[in-house]
Amino acid sequence: MIPINHPRRESLLIRERLVDGVKEGYVALQGLMAHGRGECFDYLIGEVTIDEALNAERAAVAALLLARNPVISVNGNTAALVPRDIVELAELVNAKVEVNLFYRTREREELIARVLRENGAKEVLGVGDDASCVIPELFSERRRVSCRGIYVADVVLVPLEDGDRTEALRRMGKTVIAIDLNPLSRTARAASITIVDNVVRAIPNMVKMARELRAKPREELEEIVRGFNNDENLRRVLMHISRRLMELAQRGVLLEFPKDSKTA
Ligand code: PTJ
């Protein structure tokens, strides 16, 4: 039970969702470690959506809306944290939803598909025999994808990804949108559009943007995508973190307490 006034209640509740997902059998144990790594970078960023993330989210939504065949790839952590928003985003940008796992088991595939269906998904690709196409030059279980989904997609959104598949999908000529709090990860550096934001903020932001952008003419969406430069954006993210840490180092980070009588 997390106390209602705990200063880090929200962050602890998010952890609980992942722990529940492990207990229910669809979040990989390794997903807990991956989340801890994400939390660490979120601390450095300031646990807010920075302007650079908003720019990337906007470009990503525009790219999804322009795509002929967009697909959103879902793993255990994403299913635990933002299942409803994933389904809503997919509907708004007309994307397919596909389960794709690094630690693939048939049971986890089916459980994740069930979570997505319970949250409104009509069709979930990538389960069982549906994942019968193979991404070339990729050796993890992530290489198996749906022939109607990621295999033929032109734009793929991959929240919480490992670098290998991002690189392999890029080699296939696809536009890869990654959501990764670590701006230095292979995924972040290999993606076409990298959103350095927590998936729990990024996907709801993208839902709001999709509602607004889907009414815009194609030329305006193309302009948004053309105006986005991933290399430049990632450099700005690193500058944001460095600047923030310099400011904190100069100002001090100690918390304030009433004066201790012994040390006063
Ligand atoms: O469900 P599976 O089997 O596909 O496995 C999923 C995990 C996440 C375990 C697997 O993909 C994995 O091992 O990922 P990595 O290589 O640890 O990378 C995860 C990346 O996601 C790291 O760079 C983290 O910083 C980042 N990350 C973790 N939590 C979040 C996050 N990024 C955004 N939002 C988060 N909540």
Side-chain angles (χ1 to χ4, degrees):
M1 196 42 197
I2 298 159
I4 203 90
N5 59 350
H6 192 289
R8 298 209 44 84
R9 181 175 160 83
E10 215 175 303
S11 162
L12 294 178
L13 286 175
I14 291 172
R15 281 188 180 179
E16 288 307 308
R17 300 224 289 273
L18 291 167
V19 170
D20 289 346
V22 170
K23 287 182 188 152
E24 286 165 36
Y26 69 87
V27 172
L29 263 180
Q30 294 85 342
L32 301 181
M33 289 179 234
H35 185 73
R37 176 142 44 123
E39 279 181 339
C40 175
F41 281 98
D42 213 7
Y43 247 88
L44 300 181
I45 290 164
E47 295 179 298
V48 291
T49 299
I50 57 177
D51 286 347
E52 291 71 21
L54 281 174
N55 286 342
E57 284 158 13
R58 207 171 162 74
V61 171
L64 286 166
L65 284 166
L66 286 167
R68 278 185 313 280
N69 216 345
V71 175
I72 303 180
S73 175
V74 179
N75 64 8
N77 289 43
T78 312
L81 294 178
V82 280
R84 189 149 304 213
D85 297 284
I86 286 283
V87 173
E88 200 173 345
L89 179 63
E91 264 169 27
L92 286 165
V93 301
N94 213 3
K96 293 185 181 124
V97 175
E98 176 165 342
V99 177
N100 187 271
L101 305 179
F102 190 77
Y103 302 101
R104 187 188 278 276
T105 66
R106 181 68 186 254
E107 191 199 358
R108 287 189 63 222
E109 283 170 18
E110 281 170 4
L111 286 169
I112 291 169
R114 190 161 87 200
V115 169
L116 292 168
R117 278 197 298 270
E118 282 167 1
N119 281 278
K122 290 180 194 80
E123 190 185 28
V124 181
L125 303 180
V127 180
D129 295 342
D130 184 56
S132 57
C133 274
V134 172
I135 301 177
E137 298 169 59
L138 185 63
F139 302 102
S140 76
E141 275 303 294
R142 279 208 155 139
R143 72 185 182 280
R144 293 206 285 121
V145 291
S146 168
C147 309
R148 299 178 293 138
I150 290 173
Y151 195 74
V152 289
D154 51 348
V155 178
V156 192
L157 170 61
V158 289
L160 273 73
E161 178 67 9
D162 66 292
D164 271 14
R165 187 170 66 140
T166 307
E167 288 171 25
L169 292 173
R170 287 295 309 270
R171 280 196 296 271
M172 288 174 83
K174 300 180 194 295
T175 297
V176 180
I177 302 164
I179 303 178
D180 193 333
L181 278 161
N182 177 1
L184 299 173
S185 73
R186 292 246 313 279
T187 302
R189 288 153 57 210
S192 326
I193 299 176
T194 306
I195 299 168
V196 183
D197 199 4
N198 198 317
V199 77
V200 301
R201 298 189 298 267
I203 300 288
N205 285 345
M206 290 169 77
V207 166
K208 281 196 211 114
M209 288 173 182
R211 282 202 199 105
E212 176 211 327
L213 292 182
R214 71 204 291 252
K216 304 276 184 205
R218 282 188 78 81
E219 302 72 56
E220 204 171 312
L221 299 177
E222 281 161 2
E223 193 57 45
I224 294 172
V225 175
R226 252 199 314 275
F228 179 81
N229 178 324
N230 207 36
D231 183 33
E232 176 66 22
N233 205 57
L234 278 175
R235 281 194 276 139
R236 283 174 190 265
V237 171
L238 291 173
M239 280 192 289
H240 164 87
I241 294 174
S242 334
R243 208 170 35 239
R244 182 165 183 271
L245 293 183
M246 283 301 287
E247 278 166 17
L248 286 170
Q250 277 155 11
R251 187 164 18 106
V253 292
L254 293 186
L255 298 173
E256 296 268 325
F257 294 102
K259 281 217 167 16
D260 180 329
S261 57
K262 285 190 227 106
T263 55

